[in-house]
């Protein structure tokens, strides 16, 4: 399973990258706004900075909602760096743009996916990644991980190559459940990734090892 970090924060991206387990980055307009990045030019510079930190796929999302705008923006984003993946919303125009880019050999991430039907259309259009939003489904009383499992099963059955990228991951248990569901990728906040490390027996075991060592070595 690949780990992406779901942030536009450069310090967090560096920290996750230094752990040595990072395979890529996903961003969205809200995450870019959270870093106070204003204007097209600043956004582009920021994407390039991210690409220079991480050797892996970096999803950059279009703002346009019409096909022509998505194509224009997506082509500009893809030209920034070979690792850029054009992120497109799962709308009719978005699916059309996924198809357009897939025919041109430009990789895409079809985002804001909340149903198996949407994931089916994204795969048929040739998306590289499909992003079901786990946490946001949980927020409204549905089971986000169940959707991930459903999409994984559907893609395996039909032999689709689109990778299932579990998004809107909120905590460590989401990651573990997505592993069980067979997700290809989980894009996570840094805290959720670091949460995988936490175990009280690791902490107490290490303290004991160091105490025993100190007893003999002073
Ligand atoms: O990858 C999509 C993600 O950023 C959305 O997460 O927590 O805003 O639902 P969240």
């Amino acid at each position: 399973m690949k780990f992406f970090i779901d942030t536009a924060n450069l310090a967090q991206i560096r920290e996750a990258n230094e752990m040595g387990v990072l395979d890529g980055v996903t961003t969205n307009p809200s995450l870019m706004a959270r870093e106070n990045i204003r204007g097209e030019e600043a956004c582009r510079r920021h994407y390039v900075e991210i690409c220079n930190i991480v050797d892996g796929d970096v999803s950059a999302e279009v703002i346009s909602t019409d096909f022509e705008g998505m194509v224009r923006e997506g082509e500009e984003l893809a030209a920034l760096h070979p690792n850029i993946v054009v992120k497109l919303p799962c709308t009719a125009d978005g699916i059309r743009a996924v198809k357009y880019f897939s025919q041109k050999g430009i990789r895409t991430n079809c985002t804001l996916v909340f149903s198996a039907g949407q994931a089916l259309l994204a795969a048929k259009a040739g998306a590289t990644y499909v992003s079901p939003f786990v946490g946001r489904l949980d927020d409204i009383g549905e089971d986000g991980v169940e959707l991930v499992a459903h999409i994984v099963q559907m893609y395996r059955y039909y032999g689709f190559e689109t990778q299932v990228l579990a998004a809107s991951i909120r905590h460590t248990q989401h990651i573990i459940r997505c592993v069980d569901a067979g997700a290809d990728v989980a894009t996570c906040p840094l805290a959720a990734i670091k949460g995988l490390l936490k175990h009280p027996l690791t902490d107490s075991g290490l303290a004991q090892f160091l105490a025993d060592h100190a007893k003999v070595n002073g």
Side-chain angles (χ1 to χ4, degrees), residues 115-149:
S115 74
Q118 290 177 317
L120 175 62
L121 292 176
K124 283 188 72 70
T128 313
Y129 297 103
V130 67
S131 289
F133 274 33
V134 172
R136 291 193 194 183
L137 279 170
D138 289 5
D139 287 345
I140 59 161
E142 295 189 27
D143 186 342
V145 177
E146 216 166 78
L147 175 63
V148 171

Side-chain angles (χ1 to χ4, degrees), residues 9 14 24 38 40 81 83 144 148 157 159 183 186 190 196 205 207 216:
N9 182 283
R14 278 195 197 94
R38 298 157 191 245
E40 270 189 35
H81 193 281
N83 288 353
V148 171
Y157 185 82
L190 180 60
L196 292 168
V216 175

